[in-house]
C-alpha cells in the first residue's frame, strides 16, 4: 500500500481543490456541541478532530428514505440514479468497518442495485480518531484502526497526516503537489499512533473477544437479563436509527391524491419497533421487548460474525448515547460473560 505524508496546513487547499472539481464533498461539521456529516459548502467548515458524529456516513450511501420506483398505472420506472462522484471526508475507522459490513450485506445474494450505485460513486477518506468519545468501545471490537475499506486513510502525526492510499480512486483525488514521501521518523510516529489507538478506548471494553461472542450469546439465549431489558427498554428504536451497521428497511407505496400513480420507496426500519415484527397476516413474531432486545444483540454479536466474519457492532457507542433507558452493549455483553465466569 502506498504511503505518503501531507501537512496539516494542506487540508484546506486539498478540500478547496475537491470542492472545485465538481464532486459532491461530504465532511463533518460542528452543530453546537455535536458533529454531523453534511455536504460541505466551504473547505474551512470541515472538522477533522471530532469525537463522534450524531449519525454515521451510512445515511449518504443508504439514505433514510429512498425512492425505488415511480409508477403511473401499471407502468413503473426507476428514478434516474445520481452519477456525480462523491467524497466523504474524515470517516473514523469504526464507521469504515461498518461500511465494509454493509458492502458485504448488500452484495450478498440478490445484490441491491440502489446501495451498490451509491457506493460505486463514493470515495472514502478515513481519519484515525484523535479525540475518543465517551461511549466508544471500538478497540475491544477490533475496529479502532483499519487496514482496508478506505480509498485514502489519514493518521494525525506531528504537524501532518500520514497517508495510506487504498485505491486508484483515492490516488486520483490526492493533491499531487502537496503530498510527500514520509521520513523514517514519520513512519515510526504512524506505527506508534496505531498502537495508541488500541489503548485509547481502554476504559470501555467488551471483555469477551469478538470471535467468542457467538458462543457466549448462544449459551445465554434464556438468560434473565433479556427479561430485565424488557422492563427498561422503551421500544423507541433510537438505537437502530443511529447504528452504522443496521440496514433493515420497510417498503411502502405513496399514492397521488387522484390515485393516478405514485412512488414506491424504502425507509429505515428497526428491530426494536413492534411493527417491524408484524407480518402480512397480522401476527407479531417478537411481541415482547425481551425477545426484540435479544434479537438485536444476537444480530450484533452472533449472526453477522457467523455469516460475514465481521462484528455487527463496531463499538461506536452511538446507541448508548441516545438510549433514554441507558441500555449499553458493553454492559449487556459483559453481564453475560460475568454469569459465565461465576
Ligand atoms: S434506544 Fe434504548 S429504549 Fe430505545 S429501543 Fe433502543 S434499547 Fe430500547
Ligand atoms: S450497536 Fe451501538 S455501539 Fe454497536 S455499532 Fe450499533 S450504535 Fe454503535
Amino acid at each position: 500500500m502506498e504511503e505518503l505524508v501531507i501537512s496539516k496546513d494542506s487540508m484546506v487547499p486539498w478540500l478547496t481543490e475537491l470542492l472545485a472539481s465538481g464532486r459532491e464533498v461530504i465532511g463533518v461539521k460542528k452543530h453546537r456541541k455535536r458533529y454531523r456529516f453534511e455536504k460541505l459548502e466551504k473547505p474551512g467548515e470541515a472538522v477533522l478532530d471530532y469525537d463522534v458524529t450524531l449519525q454515521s456516513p451510512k445515511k449518504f450511501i443508504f439514505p433514510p428514505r429512498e425512492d425505488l420506483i415511480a409508477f403511473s398505472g401499471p407502468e413503473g420506472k426507476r428514478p434516474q440514479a445520481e452519477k456525480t462522484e462523491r467524497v466523504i471526508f474524515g470517516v473514523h475507522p469504526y464507521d469504515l468497518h461498518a461500511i465494509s459490513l454493509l458492502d458485504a450485506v448488500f452484495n450478498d445474494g440478490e445484490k441491491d442495485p440502489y446501495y451498490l450505485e451509491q457506493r460505486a460513486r463514493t470515495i472514502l477518506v478515513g481519519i484515525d480518531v484523535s479525540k475518543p468519545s465517551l461511549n466508544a468501545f471500538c478497540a475491544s471490537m477490533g475496529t479502532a484502526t483499519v487496514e482496508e475499506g478506505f480509498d485514502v486513510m489519514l493518521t494525525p502525526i506531528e504537524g501532518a497526516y500520514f497517508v495510506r492510499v487504498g485505491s486508484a480512486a483515492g490516488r486520483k483525488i490526492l493533491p499531487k503537489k502537496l503530498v510527500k514521501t514520509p521520513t523514517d521518523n514519520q513512519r515510526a510516529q504512524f506505527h506508534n499512533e496505531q498502537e495508541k489507538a488500541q489503548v485509547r478506548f481502554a476504559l470501555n471494553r467488551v471483555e469477551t473477544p469478538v470471535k467468542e461472542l457467538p458462543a457466549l450469546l448462544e449459551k445465554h439465549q434464556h438468560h434473565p437479563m433479556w427479561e430485565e431489558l424488557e422492563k427498561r427498554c422503551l421500544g423507541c428504536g433510537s438505537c437502530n436509527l443511529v447504528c452504522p451497521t443496521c440496514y433493515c428497511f420497510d417498503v411502502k407505496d405513496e399514492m397521488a391524491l387522484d390515485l393516478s400513480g405514485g412512488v414506491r420507496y424504502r425507509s429505515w426500519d428497526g428491530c426494536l419497533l413492534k411493527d417491524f415484527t408484524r407480518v402480512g397476516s397480522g401476527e407479531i413474531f417478537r411481541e415482547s421487548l425481551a425477545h426484540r432486545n435479544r434479537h438485536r444483540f444476537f444480530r450484533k454479536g452472533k449472526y453477522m460474525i457467523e455469516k460475514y466474519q465481521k462484528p455487527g457492532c463496531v463499538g461506536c457507542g452511538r446507541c448508548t448515547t441516545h438510549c433514554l433507558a441507558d441500555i449499553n452493549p458493553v454492559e449487556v455483553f459483559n453481564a453475560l460473560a460475568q454469569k459465565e465466569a461465576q
Side-chain angles (χ1 to χ4, degrees):
M1 185 176 293
E2 190 178 8
E3 295 177 342
L4 297 162
V5 74
I6 185 167
S7 76
K8 287 198 172 154
D9 291 343
S10 298
M11 285 297 122
V12 169
W14 182 11
L15 282 161
T16 306
E17 202 176 295
L18 287 175
L19 283 163
S21 70
R23 296 177 177 97
E24 183 185 351
V25 185
I26 310 293
V28 176
K29 291 192 199 175
K30 189 164 189 181
H31 285 266
R32 298 192 182 150
K33 292 183 181 162
R34 305 282 178 94
Y35 299 95
R36 291 205 298 231
F37 275 101
E38 277 181 13
K39 191 169 171 176
L40 294 182
E41 307 295 340
K42 296 183 228 136
E45 293 172 328
V47 181
L48 296 178
D49 61 347
Y50 65 95
D51 52 1
V52 67
T53 52
L54 285 165
Q55 288 208 319
S56 78
K58 173 185 85 173
K59 64 181 180 178
F60 294 97
I61 307 168
F62 172 49
R65 175 192 157 128
E66 188 169 28
D67 290 350
L68 303 176
I69 306 170
F71 54 86
S72 172
E75 301 297 323
K77 77 171 186 227
R78 277 193 59 183
Q80 195 100 39
E82 180 59 69
K83 296 261 191 310
T84 313
E85 213 167 54
R86 171 173 54 200
V87 178
I88 307 186
F89 204 96
V91 184
H92 278 168
Y94 48 80
D95 278 337
L96 289 167
H97 279 276
I99 292 171
S100 293
L101 175 67
L102 297 180
D103 288 351
V105 169
F106 285 111
N107 254 308
D108 196 14
E110 288 295 319
K111 296 183 193 306
D112 186 301
Y114 300 91
Y115 176 90
L116 296 178
E117 279 164 13
Q118 290 280 2
R119 187 67 181 89
R121 74 182 184 98
T122 303
I123 297 172
L124 296 170
V125 179
I127 188 160
D128 275 314
V129 181
S130 47
K131 194 188 339 167
S133 72
L134 188 66
N135 292 316
F137 52 98
C138 45
S140 58
M141 303 310 286
T143 56
T145 55
V146 71
E147 298 300 327
E148 56 186 15
F150 52 81
D151 296 289
V152 176
M153 188 70 202
L154 306 173
T155 304
I157 56 172
E158 219 178 291
Y161 291 98
F162 192 86
V163 180
R164 284 176 287 160
V165 185
S167 71
R171 189 72 185 84
K172 209 167 85 186
I173 61 155
L174 280 172
K176 289 176 191 45
K177 292 187 184 144
L178 301 176
V179 289
K180 293 186 183 141
T181 305
T183 62
D184 287 347
N185 177 275
Q186 286 171 322
R187 283 184 203 283
Q189 282 185 53
F190 162 70
H191 291 294
N192 193 24
E193 285 303 317
Q194 294 298 98
E195 278 168 30
K196 279 206 293 208
Q198 302 304 331
V199 286
R200 210 164 263 148
F201 303 92
L203 287 178
N204 205 13
R205 21 186 330 110
V206 171
E207 297 302 341
T208 306
V210 169
K211 62 178 187 330
E212 293 172 25
L213 282 175
L216 180 78
L217 285 159
E218 175 81 38
K219 194 165 176 185
H220 294 297
Q221 276 197 61
H222 304 292
H223 193 285
M225 188 189 54
W226 307 121
E227 297 301 329
E228 284 166 32
L229 292 185
E230 159 106 35
K231 291 181 203 139
R232 285 165 58 192
C233 178
L234 308 168
C236 64
S238 298
C239 49
N240 296 134
L241 293 181
V242 295
C243 182
T245 65
C246 278
Y247 56 83
C248 290
F249 59 85
D250 198 3
V251 176
K252 289 185 180 152
D253 287 349
E254 194 172 70
M255 298 299 296
L257 283 179
D258 63 2
L259 304 183
S260 60
V263 171
R264 176 162 297 172
Y265 69 95
R266 68 177 173 189
S267 56
W268 291 356
D269 206 344
C271 56
L272 266 296
L273 300 171
K274 192 170 183 175
D275 268 357
F276 179 84
T277 72
R278 193 193 304 272
V279 295
S281 52
E283 284 96 347
I284 294 178
F285 281 88
R286 285 188 288 273
E287 181 81 48
S288 82
L289 277 164
H291 290 172
R292 278 183 255 154
N293 269 285
R294 183 175 63 184
H295 176 74
R296 172 188 169 211
F297 285 103
F298 269 57
R299 296 276 299 178
K300 303 292 170 202
K302 180 169 162 37
Y303 306 146
M304 294 291 109
I305 297 172
E306 287 174 343
K307 185 149 192 211
Y308 299 110
Q309 294 75 54
K310 296 173 193 286
C313 168
V314 293
C316 69
R318 290 182 177 99
C319 57
T320 306
T321 305
H322 292 277
C323 178
L324 293 172
D326 275 339
I327 294 172
N328 171 347
V330 176
E331 283 174 16
V332 170
F333 290 131
N334 287 350
L336 297 178
Q338 208 175 12
K339 177 86 181 168
E340 188 92 330
Q342 282 167 5

